[in-house]
Amino acid sequence: MAAVVAQSSHIFGLRKGVTNNLCFLDDQTIVFPSGNNCVRYNIDQKWQKFIPGTEKSQGMQALALSANRRYLAVSERGEPPTVTVYDLTHEQGRKRKVLTAGDLPVGEFLCMAFSPDSKYLICQSGGPKWTLVFWLWEKQKVMTTISSSEGDPVNQVSFNPQDNTQVCVSGVGLLRLYHYGEGALKRTNAAKVEGIALLCHAWVSGARVVAGTDTGRLLMIESGELRWELDAGIRPVPPLETGASGPIDTKAERNAATTTTGPSVTAILPYSKGFMCSAGPGTVCVFENTEEKDSYRKTGEILIPPDPCSNEPSRAQQQEVATLSLSPGEETLALSTQQGQLYAISLISAEISRGEQAHFEFLSSSFHSKPITGLSICIRKPLVATCSLDRSVRVWNYDTNVLELYKEFQEEALSVSLHPSGLFLLVGFTDKLRMMNLLIDDIRTFKEFTVRGCRECVFSHGGHLFAAINGNVIHIYSVTTFDNILTLKGHNGKVQAVAWSADDGRLVSCGADGAVYEWNVFSGKRESESVLKSCVYTGVAVSSDARTIFAAGTSLKEIQDCQASVCARVLREVPGDDVTYTALAVSRSGKVIFTGTSSGTLRVIKYPLPLQKDWIEYQAHCGPVTKVLVTFDDQLLLTASGDGSLLVWRIVDKEGRGLRDKEVHYTEEILVTKTDLEEKNQNMQELKTRVEELQMEKEYQLRLCDISYNDKIKELSETFIREIESLKTENQCSNSQKLLLEYAKSAELQQQKQAMEEEYERRLGAAEQSGARALEELTLSFQAKLHDKTQQLGQCQDEARQQRREFEEDKRQTEEDADQEIQGLRLRYEKRLYGEKETNLTLRGETGIMKKQLGSLQRELEERCGDIERLKKEATRLHGVIRSLEKDILGLKKVIAERVETIRDKEKVIGEQTKKNQELEKLKYSQNYTLEELKKNIAPRDHAIAGMKEQIQEMEAELEHFHQKNTQLELRVDDLKLKLRATGQERNMEMQRVKQSEATVRRFKVDLHRCAALLQEPKQLKAAVQEMYGCYVRPSDGVEIAGVDADIQREHVRQQDHLEKTVGSLKTQLAKDSELQRQKNVKLMRENVSLIQEINKLRQELRTARAQIHDHHIRTAVAARNKPNRRSPDEHRAVAGTSPDAEITRRPSIT
């Protein structure tokens, strides 16, 4: 097998047509199908982990997640159809069981559901039998089967969340309840819903089911009886004639109740407060339980927002909801659409809590909704550009896995090529080839070329030339002058692909006529050729030395130039093995070739090409691989497919290392137009002047406020002084009695103080002893845990080695089985491919005629769009001024509030000072009286006071001694903790040094092995040994390290202690700063929410203005038609020429 392997790293895209294609594993992780994989995606950390599909799979049909969120069931088409159950507690999603229907005539499983205890799995097969299969899946045992429909389609099955033996089945004209008992499924109840197409249902309690119809109605069914109906548009339905809880009895009454059609309810999701459901394109409604029995009310509405990057922003709002999913904590709601997009919203947002209308946001980024037709990378930036039949061009960053730029056009994009600098983009449309600038926030056209239907365009490696294909002709243009310097003709059929040599001196092309030509770019002559009319080539690549050409088609061929003639010969050929090679790429190192196949798989083939079927095959996409590219540093592989997904692979060897260790440095330059830059500078200057004016105005207002506040303070202080004097005279007479009471209280407090000191000393001793015991117990417990974890780690390593051996054996067996199956599939898919190609040719001719008719309309629409853009910019500028003024008003209001609070605080301080003065006067009088009494008794008490002072000094000395011991113990504990942390850090550093040493030894062995191969070449051997000496030997290796003096070590320890204490204080300061920054961010988020609401209002006003302008032009055109006799023919032509809207109304609409 090949020494190089590819590991799935990240994928952009969502697989459409899969039932329940979005599930939450936890509050941060979701599962969704993409390509031929199930992807686990962490919303916060942005990482992805892959669960690949089975090799014989023909595509996924449905997903089901168990109630405990541990198991994932994946239904796949095939011969026979299978259901695979994965254990998600394993990091890679370990395959647990593979279930088949046995001898039952089942073609596919359309929907599935786990029981509440995750013990049973129920699956619904397709027509015409519509068999319901009930599994005890852990034992791979089919418990029972039953036909759930007599021919009407079934859309969903589910278990009762409180009973694992009750099952609900809904579809067109049916909603049936089954009970499992005595080894069989028995129908218990069936609601009377004939003639009603039920698209989905959900259990809202143990006995109630809510079902949604294609006419936009919600049906509440309890125990098989229809209780009530509700319009998803929330127009209340009149009470039923038979009573509030009775079903609709007659068919006429049901037809009358459903005559009001509405948007389809395609998904229903229950939660703790009620349920959520889709209410038409781009809308999700939230219903909550009310205090009344069986009653729900609408509390919120969440919409998919318009797409500002689309030429029709409202088209995003017309997406039908496919699946709704709620996080376990009910904090995040996510949905998938039938156009392959993922959206999410936080349910704790301000709009939803207030019951206002909220909007979803992209879960990660927007994806392609149709097949990807072009893929290109650049050299100086980690960017990859894609184009698709959904009329969009997207620029992704494969380093950060984000969507950098995105724009939709009016025509389908057939090909794309990035300039090596990453600043320009070449896109081939059905009518023209356009050169575009990649700006900071836009993709803007600046040059057009008259190349129609360009299905392949490629920049040269130097970026000074590019090649464009037009049918069977290749045009070469200069990027600097935009001149067509060469036109290469020679192919009899359509050219499928071209590739430049490393020096840009040669161009290699392949076509559907079975020809591979090598052209000289300087002379325009054909240097070599290889023609096999029986082969249809789809891709071509050139080796780094330009001596070998690789062509892909029904097989992979290695073509080498003949030195004696123009004819090139095929050296080796790798058969496709029942599939067609649709794309290929060669690594820069030349060690490996990557090919994409028509079945959506990726093959890694080593070079030189093997004589036998020796390759590694990966499950990548569910459609044909259209493009394969390798980055210029040989680190990543990019594949695009007809399913609209873009997959990023990491290229490593068997030991997990990259092919190249050289670090790549990318540039960060961007393009900005002069007008945009000048407008931003002007706005900045205006804002600066505005800020200066506001600062001056605020300073003046503050000075006026200070003057007025100082005057008020003076007046208040004078009044308070007068009141203090009056209070002093009133209170002098009543202070004597209060002083006696205070003296008695002071004596009691002295006794309490002594008792409390003794109690605190006793508690302090007990706390020290308990702390020491707790420290010893924690040390012993953590040592025991560390020993247990070490043993567990060893067991896990043994299990991993055993699982790896089992995986290698399973892989070998599956490869042998796949060879036979792929041979049979090859012929069938080739016939289908030829038929679809002929259909596409006829459709292309018809679309060309339609595009010509649309040309004139598009030019007029572009002029109108320019006017609208200017109005938008003016509105944006005015809104910026309004926002700045509103911020100034809020700031001034805050200043006024702060001043009022300051005045109140000062008034409180003055009141407190007045009370303190009164208390001091009382204390003065009592002290004078006490002093006179003590002077009389001072002589007999001097001896007693001296003895008590000595006793107090002794007690204070003992207390100080205890405090010193406690402080020393605390410092010692802190020192031990710091030393323990430092010891751990040193241990980690030593482990890192050991790993680095082992890696150096491995690299040295590899380099030594390479040198051993050069024993017959002394010069090369000498150069290799010198290179190894320069790489592994350092001048400092021979110098002996002198011993470290003891004084230096002590100084190092002291410095280390000081730095650790400093780090602790800095961490505390960092926590405080982080809290302040978080508060600022919350404030900014609230301001952004208000700004977004204002922008939405302005957009509504702009749409109203557009409608008024359109109505005005229509009225003008009608008035011109109603007066044919009052004007001459020349005047009629003038009016028609000045009214483009009138001309638009006379032309037929084209969809």
Side-chain angles (χ1 to χ4, degrees):
M1 300 296 291
V4 177
V5 297
Q7 297 177 352
S8 303
S9 176
H10 201 89
I11 192 167
F12 302 96
L14 172 69
R15 182 165 181 176
K16 300 178 290 185
V18 178
T19 305
N20 193 25
N21 61 356
L22 182 62
C23 305
F24 267 98
L25 290 184
D26 51 46
D27 288 331
Q28 291 82 29
T29 309
I30 61 172
V31 175
F32 62 90
S34 183
N36 202 21
N37 304 273
C38 284
V39 182
R40 288 194 287 182
Y41 176 64
N42 188 285
I43 300 173
D44 295 335
Q45 301 177 7
K46 309 299 181 184
W47 53 257
Q48 288 185 354
K49 294 181 180 179
F50 292 80
I51 303 174
T54 58
E55 294 184 2
K56 298 180 180 181
S57 169
Q58 298 177 7
M60 297 182 188
Q61 279 292 101
L63 300 183
L65 187 67
S66 62
N68 57 10
R69 303 182 189 274
R70 179 178 178 180
Y71 303 110
L72 176 69
V74 181
S75 167
E76 296 176 293
R77 289 194 302 268
E79 294 295 337
T82 59
V83 176
T84 307
V85 181
Y86 296 93
D87 187 356
L88 298 180
T89 58
H90 193 270
E91 183 177 359
Q92 300 298 329
R94 182 167 57 90
K95 186 183 295 185
R96 189 70 179 267
K97 297 293 180 182
V98 179
L99 310 177
T100 59
D103 298 333
L104 295 175
V106 174
E108 58 185 354
F109 293 107
L110 299 178
C111 48
M112 305 177 294
F114 277 97
S115 61
D117 57 358
S118 304
K119 183 179 179 181
Y120 300 108
L121 178 68
I122 191 164
C123 299
Q124 176 65 60
S125 69
K129 296 292 185 180
W130 300 102
T131 305
L132 195 63
V133 185
F134 195 90
W135 266 301
L136 180 63
W137 67 268
E138 289 186 344
K139 296 183 179 181
Q140 295 179 313
K141 181 180 179 181
V142 177
M143 306 298 291
T144 183
T145 61
I146 190 173
S147 179
S148 59
S149 175
E150 290 75 19
D152 295 325
V154 176
N155 295 321
Q156 187 178 354
V157 296
S158 65
F159 274 96
N160 188 330
Q162 300 178 8
D163 186 0
N164 61 356
T165 61
Q166 189 174 15
V167 178
C168 179
V169 178
S170 65
V172 177
L174 62 91
L175 192 145
R176 298 174 180 175
L177 298 178
Y178 294 90
H179 183 269
Y180 176 73
E182 299 179 356
L185 279 172
K186 299 178 181 179
R187 191 166 77 178
T188 57
N189 293 299
K192 297 179 181 180
V193 290
E194 291 82 0
I196 302 175
L198 300 181
L199 303 181
C200 57
H201 73 264
W203 294 83
V204 294
S205 68
R208 297 182 194 144
V209 177
V210 174
T213 69
D214 61 344
T215 58
R217 304 184 69 80
L218 296 172
L219 309 180
M220 172 63 77
I221 298 167
E222 184 174 0
S223 300
E225 295 183 358
L226 183 60
R227 295 298 184 185
W228 52 258
E229 296 185 26
L230 183 67
D231 192 348
I234 317 310
R235 293 184 294 274
V237 178
L240 301 174
E241 295 293 335
T242 58
S245 62
I248 297 176
D249 293 330
T250 64
K251 188 173 182 179
E253 291 177 356
R254 284 195 301 273
N255 294 335
T258 58
T259 52
T260 304
T261 61
S264 299
V265 180
T266 56
I268 301 178
L269 177 68
Y271 76 115
S272 59
K273 297 181 181 179
F275 64 91
M276 307 175 189
C277 69
S278 63
T283 305
V284 174
C285 293
V286 182
F287 293 87
E288 292 186 0
N289 264 318
T290 60
E291 296 179 357
E292 300 178 4
K293 184 180 179 181
D294 300 341
S295 179
Y296 292 87
R297 64 182 179 89
K298 177 182 175 183
T299 59
E301 192 175 73
I302 312 173
L303 304 178
I304 295 177
D307 190 352
C309 297
S310 174
N311 55 354
E312 297 179 9
S314 61
R315 188 169 60 185
Q317 297 176 300
Q318 303 303 317
Q319 300 181 83
E320 288 286 352
V321 177
T323 304
L324 291 172
S325 182
L326 189 64
S327 62
E330 296 188 351
E331 295 181 356
T332 305
L333 173 66
L335 67 82
S336 63
T337 68
Q338 295 181 1
Q339 281 70 34
Q341 305 297 329
L342 292 176
Y343 294 91
I345 189 173
S346 175
L347 295 181
I348 58 176
S349 61
E351 292 84 354
I352 297 178
S353 61
R354 292 195 300 266
E356 298 178 357
Q357 193 177 75
H359 289 85
F360 286 98
E361 296 179 352
F362 281 112
L363 189 62
S364 58
S365 61
S366 64
F367 303 135
H368 284 295
S369 59
K370 291 185 179 180
I372 296 176
T373 56
L375 180 70
S376 179
I377 58 174
C378 61
I379 300 175
R380 299 187 62 189
K381 292 184 179 183
L383 300 179
V384 53
T386 58
C387 64
S388 170
L389 296 180
D390 59 6
R391 302 180 179 180
S392 68
V393 175
R394 302 167 195 258
V395 180
W396 315 80
N397 189 317
Y398 55 76
D399 192 16
T400 59
N401 296 325
V402 297
L403 178 62
E404 295 282 352
L405 290 174
Y406 156 49
K407 189 172 183 180
E408 284 192 6
F409 299 89
Q410 296 180 353
E411 302 87 12
E412 292 181 351
L414 304 178
S415 60
V416 67
S417 179
L418 262 176
H419 193 269
S421 64
L423 301 177
F424 309 104
L425 188 69
L426 195 64
V427 183
F429 296 94
T430 54
D431 57 345
K432 289 183 181 180
L433 178 67
R434 293 179 172 89
M435 178 84 77
M436 302 181 181
N437 283 326
L438 292 182
L439 303 180
I440 186 173
D441 56 356
D442 192 13
I443 302 175
R444 196 169 298 174
T445 304
F446 72 92
K447 181 64 178 177
E448 294 184 348
F449 303 90
T450 57
V451 180
R452 295 181 177 273
C454 179
R455 295 191 173 274
E456 187 72 17
C457 56
V458 184
F459 275 106
S460 63
H461 294 90
H464 59 292
L465 301 173
F466 71 84
I469 297 175
N470 184 11
N472 59 355
V473 179
I474 304 172
H475 301 281
I476 297 179
Y477 288 86
S478 172
V479 176
T480 54
T481 61
F482 304 117
D483 294 334
N484 186 1
I485 60 176
L486 277 178
T487 300
L488 307 178
K489 299 180 181 180
H491 284 278
N492 295 324
K494 289 187 177 181
V495 180
Q496 300 288 348
V498 295
W500 292 87
S501 62
D503 59 355
D504 294 335
R506 296 180 180 181
L507 183 72
V508 178
S509 63
C510 69
D513 55 355
V516 177
Y517 295 147
E518 184 178 8
W519 309 85
N520 189 311
V521 177
F522 302 105
S523 62
K525 295 181 179 180
R526 188 190 308 167
E527 293 193 348
S528 64
E529 64 180 22
S530 174
V531 181
L532 295 173
K533 294 184 178 180
S534 61
C535 183
V536 178
Y537 291 113
T538 56
V540 68
V542 185
S543 62
S544 57
D545 57 1
R547 295 181 180 178
T548 307
I549 300 171
F550 301 96
T554 53
S555 61
L556 177 63
K557 295 180 175 61
E558 179 184 359
I559 304 172
Q560 193 170 18
D561 296 342
C562 291
Q563 302 296 331
S565 64
V566 177
C567 178
R569 61 190 179 92
V570 178
L571 291 180
R572 298 179 184 87
E573 183 177 358
V574 179
D577 198 11
D578 296 335
V579 297
T580 302
Y581 293 108
T582 55
L584 83 158
V586 182
S587 65
R588 312 295 171 185
S589 61
K591 297 179 180 179
V592 65
I593 301 172
F594 303 95
T595 61
T597 67
S598 57
S599 62
T601 60
L602 174 71
R603 289 183 179 178
V604 181
I605 306 173
K606 66 180 181 181
Y607 185 78
L609 297 179
L611 298 177
Q612 300 177 352
K613 299 177 182 179
D614 187 11
W615 58 66
I616 301 177
E617 191 166 20
Y618 299 94
Q619 298 298 317
H621 302 277
C622 60
V625 178
T626 55
K627 297 290 180 181
V628 178
L629 285 178
V630 179
T631 57
F632 287 89
D633 56 355
D634 268 357
Q635 297 295 322
L636 299 176
L637 172 70
L638 305 169
T639 60
S641 172
D643 60 3
S645 61
L646 172 64
L647 183 53
V648 182
W649 307 74
R650 193 169 300 279
I651 305 173
V652 296
D653 56 12
K654 290 290 187 181
E655 297 180 357
R657 297 178 300 181
L659 297 185
R660 291 188 181 182
D661 296 333
K662 184 178 179 181
E663 185 178 359
V664 179
H665 299 282
Y666 296 111
T667 60
E668 297 181 355
E669 291 85 357
I670 56 174
L671 292 179
V672 181
T673 60
K674 185 177 180 181
T675 55
D676 293 342
L677 187 60
E678 289 176 352
E679 184 178 355
K680 290 181 180 179
N681 291 333
Q682 184 178 359
N683 292 336
M684 289 175 62
Q685 191 65 30
E686 291 176 356
L687 291 173
K688 286 180 180 178
T689 55
R690 180 60 180 164
V691 168
E692 293 175 356
E693 293 175 358
L694 290 174
Q695 287 179 350
M696 295 174 63
E697 185 178 353
K698 288 179 180 179
E699 290 175 358
Y700 177 70
Q701 292 177 355
L702 288 173
R703 285 196 296 271
L704 293 178
C705 292
D706 290 338
I707 294 170
S708 62
Y709 291 151
N710 289 330
D711 295 338
K712 291 181 181 180
I713 290 171
K714 287 180 181 180
E715 294 176 359
L716 292 172
S717 60
E718 291 176 358
T719 55
F720 288 145
I721 290 171
R722 288 195 297 269
E723 292 177 358
I724 289 169
E725 293 296 332
S726 62
L727 291 171
K728 283 181 179 179
T729 56
E730 292 176 358
N731 294 329
Q732 285 179 357
C733 60
S734 61
N735 287 338
S736 59
Q737 296 178 356
K738 294 182 179 179
L739 288 174
L740 294 174
L741 295 173
E742 292 293 333
Y743 178 74
K745 289 181 180 179
S746 65
E748 292 178 358
L749 291 173
Q750 288 290 338
Q751 294 177 0
Q752 292 178 2
K753 176 186 174 184
Q754 292 178 0
M756 290 173 67
E757 287 178 352
E758 294 176 357
E759 180 66 20
Y760 286 148
E761 289 176 358
R762 184 180 61 79
R763 291 181 180 179
L764 181 62
E768 290 177 354
Q769 294 177 1
S770 62
R773 288 194 299 270
L775 180 62
E776 292 177 358
E777 292 175 357
L778 287 173
T779 304
L780 295 175
S781 64
F782 280 114
Q783 288 178 355
K785 288 180 180 179
L786 180 62
H787 184 263
D788 294 338
K789 293 295 182 182
T790 305
Q791 292 180 352
Q792 292 177 5
L793 180 62
Q795 294 175 359
C796 292
Q797 289 176 352
D798 296 337
E799 291 177 359
R801 284 192 289 269
Q802 180 65 24
Q803 291 176 359
R804 186 177 297 172
R805 287 193 294 269
E806 294 176 357
F807 171 74
E808 293 294 337
E809 181 64 23
D810 293 340
K811 185 177 179 182
R812 184 183 62 79
Q813 294 177 0
T814 53
E815 286 177 353
E816 293 176 355
D817 296 337
D819 293 340
Q820 299 176 357
E821 185 178 0
I822 292 172
Q823 186 69 27
L825 294 174
R826 175 184 175 185
L827 297 175
R828 186 174 63 186
Y829 281 114
E830 284 182 353
K831 294 178 181 178
R832 186 185 300 176
L833 179 63
Y834 288 142
E836 291 184 354
K837 283 184 177 180
E838 293 176 357
T839 306
N840 286 334
L841 290 176
T842 58
L843 291 175
R844 286 174 190 167
E846 295 176 358
T847 53
I849 297 172
M850 304 297 285
K851 292 296 182 179
K852 291 179 181 178
Q853 295 177 359
L854 284 174
S856 59
L857 290 175
Q858 289 172 355
R859 286 192 294 273
E860 295 173 359
L861 289 175
E862 288 174 358
E863 294 176 359
R864 296 298 176 84
C865 290
D867 296 336
I868 292 169
E869 289 295 331
R870 287 194 292 273
L871 292 174
K872 283 183 180 178
K873 291 179 180 178
E874 183 66 21
T876 304
R877 185 183 66 80
L878 294 175
H879 281 299
V881 175
I882 292 170
R883 286 194 295 271
S884 63
L885 293 175
E886 289 176 350
K887 289 180 182 178
D888 296 339
I889 292 170
L890 292 174
L892 292 174
K893 288 182 179 179
K894 290 180 181 178
V895 170
I896 292 171
E898 291 173 357
R899 292 293 183 181
V900 172
E901 291 294 332
T902 304
I903 292 171
R904 292 177 182 173
D905 295 339
K906 289 182 178 180
E907 290 176 355
K908 291 180 182 178
V909 170
I910 293 171
E912 292 173 358
Q913 292 296 331
T914 303
K915 293 180 182 178
K916 287 181 180 179
N917 288 334
Q918 294 174 0
E919 293 174 357
L920 289 173
E921 290 294 333
K922 296 177 184 178
L923 183 61
K924 180 180 178 182
Y925 184 82
S926 65
Q927 292 295 332
N928 290 332
Y929 180 82
T930 305
L931 183 62
E932 291 177 358
E933 294 292 329
L934 291 174
K935 284 181 180 179
K936 297 177 182 179
N937 301 325
I938 194 170
R941 295 189 179 183
D942 284 338
H943 298 289
I945 291 171
M948 292 175 69
K949 284 184 179 180
E950 291 177 358
Q951 185 178 0
I952 289 170
Q953 288 177 357
E954 291 176 357
M955 293 173 67
E956 289 178 350
E958 290 178 358
L959 182 62
E960 184 66 22
H961 180 66
F962 285 134
H963 282 308
Q964 289 178 357
K965 283 186 177 180
N966 191 14
T967 304
Q968 290 176 359
L969 289 173
E970 290 177 352
L971 293 174
R972 186 176 179 184
V973 170
D974 293 336
D975 293 338
L976 290 175
K977 288 181 179 179
L978 292 173
K979 289 180 181 179
L980 181 61
R981 192 181 305 140
T983 305
Q985 293 177 356
E986 291 177 358
R987 176 177 171 273
N988 293 332
M989 293 172 62
E990 289 297 327
M991 291 178 68
Q992 290 179 0
R993 291 194 191 100
V994 170
K995 291 180 180 179
Q996 291 175 359
S997 300
E998 291 176 354
T1000 304
V1001 170
R1002 287 197 297 270
R1003 291 198 301 271
F1004 183 81
K1005 288 181 180 180
V1006 173
D1007 294 338
L1008 186 62
H1009 179 69
R1010 293 175 180 173
C1011 291
L1014 301 174
L1015 290 175
Q1016 303 300 326
E1017 301 292 335
K1019 292 183 180 180
Q1020 296 182 5
L1021 179 63
K1022 180 180 179 181
V1025 171
Q1026 288 177 352
E1027 184 179 359
M1028 287 179 58
Y1029 182 84
C1031 181
Y1032 295 100
V1033 179
R1034 299 177 181 175
S1036 60
D1037 292 340
V1039 180
E1040 296 182 356
I1041 301 174
V1044 181
D1045 196 0
D1047 295 335
I1048 297 175
Q1049 291 181 354
R1050 287 194 295 272
E1051 180 65 17
H1052 172 70
V1053 172
R1054 188 180 66 81
Q1055 293 290 339
Q1056 183 179 359
D1057 294 339
H1058 174 69
L1059 291 174
E1060 289 174 350
K1061 293 178 181 178
T1062 305
V1063 168
S1065 61
L1066 290 175
K1067 287 181 178 178
T1068 304
Q1069 185 65 27
L1070 177 61
K1072 294 179 180 179
D1073 294 340
S1074 300
E1075 181 63 20
L1076 293 175
Q1077 186 65 31
R1078 186 187 66 79
Q1079 294 175 358
K1080 291 180 182 179
N1081 291 337
V1082 171
K1083 180 180 177 182
L1084 291 174
M1085 183 181 68
R1086 292 174 179 170
E1087 293 176 357
N1088 288 337
V1089 170
S1090 62
L1091 293 176
I1092 290 170
Q1093 292 176 352
E1094 292 178 1
I1095 290 171
N1096 290 333
K1097 292 179 181 178
L1098 288 173
R1099 287 177 176 170
Q1100 185 65 31
E1101 293 175 1
L1102 182 59
R1103 285 194 290 268
T1104 305
R1106 288 178 180 170
Q1108 291 175 357
I1109 292 170
H1110 182 66
D1111 294 339
H1112 173 70
H1113 287 304
I1114 290 175
R1115 287 195 296 270
T1116 305
V1118 171
R1121 290 178 180 176
N1122 292 334
K1123 298 178 182 180
N1125 297 325
R1126 298 182 182 179
R1127 295 180 179 175
S1128 63
D1130 296 332
E1131 291 175 344
H1132 282 295
R1133 286 193 294 270
V1135 171
T1138 57
S1139 178
D1141 290 329
E1143 180 65 19
I1144 291 172
T1145 58
R1146 290 194 295 270
R1147 292 172 180 166
S1149 61
I1150 300 173
T1151 60

